Amino acid sequence: MDLKLERIYTKPADLDGYRILVDRLWPRGISKVNAHLDDWAKEMGPTTELRKWFNHEPAKYPEFQKRYLAEIEANPMTAEFVKKVAEQLKQTNVILLYGAKDEQHNQAVVLLAYLQERG
């Protein structure tokens, strides 16, 4: 099975999978019904302080990656999240959903790489 990324604002390309929103804040303009979520792992999103510091500025992305990885490592919920993703991957695809416009410089990209390293 595959671990994938998808922007929550795009029409779901693949409902054949376990869909997890990995943003700490609920995305604007998306109803819970239209999100087609199986889970919302808001505790896995970057802290408010880090999110505000980054401000989706690509020039800050390398430092954001380092700081966010440190947050992931220190997060007491990480082990449970990694286990849940691994369990779901035994049965179906897992799709990490995010709201950011920039598809290359966001926390879901960092989280995906983290999960892939541990898979």
Side-chain angles (χ1 to χ4, degrees), residues 1 7 12 23 27 30 32 38-39 43-44 48-49 51 57 62 65 68 71-72 88 90 93 99-100 109 112 115:
M1 300 296 158
R7 192 162 182 261
D23 285 354
I30 294 285
K32 295 196 180 192
D38 295 299
D39 195 4
E43 68 281 350
M44 293 307 301
T48 300
E49 296 79 21
R51 184 177 47 79
E57 295 176 32
Q65 285 178 297
Y68 182 42
E71 286 187 358
I72 292 170
Q88 289 299 325
K90 291 177 185 175
N93 296 323
V109 173
L112 175 72
L115 292 168

Side-chain angles (χ1 to χ4, degrees), residues 48-55 57 60 63-64 67:
T48 300
E49 296 79 21
L50 181 56
R51 184 177 47 79
K52 286 182 176 181
W53 171 83
F54 175 46
N55 197 33
E57 295 176 32
K60 292 182 176 179
E63 182 63 23
F64 170 78
R67 293 182 187 190

Side-chain angles (χ1 to χ4, degrees), residues 38-118:
D38 295 299
D39 195 4
W40 180 15
K42 57 184 162 189
E43 68 281 350
M44 293 307 301
T47 60
T48 300
E49 296 79 21
L50 181 56
R51 184 177 47 79
K52 286 182 176 181
W53 171 83
F54 175 46
N55 197 33
H56 296 287
E57 295 176 32
K60 292 182 176 179
Y61 189 69
E63 182 63 23
F64 170 78
Q65 285 178 297
K66 290 179 198 167
R67 293 182 187 190
Y68 182 42
L69 284 171
E71 286 187 358
I72 292 170
E73 291 287 342
N75 187 336
M77 301 301 292
T78 297
E80 183 180 324
F81 179 75
V82 169
K83 183 179 174 185
K84 180 186 283 188
V85 169
E87 288 296 316
Q88 289 299 325
L89 281 170
K90 291 177 185 175
Q91 306 165 31
T92 188
N93 296 323
V94 173
I95 302 150
L96 303 180
L97 300 164
Y98 62 93
K101 289 179 183 175
D102 187 333
E103 296 180 10
Q104 296 175 358
H105 304 98
N106 65 65
Q107 88 282 355
V109 173
V110 177
L111 187 56
L112 175 72
Y114 179 86
L115 292 168
Q116 288 172 330
E117 287 176 12
R118 273 127 196 96

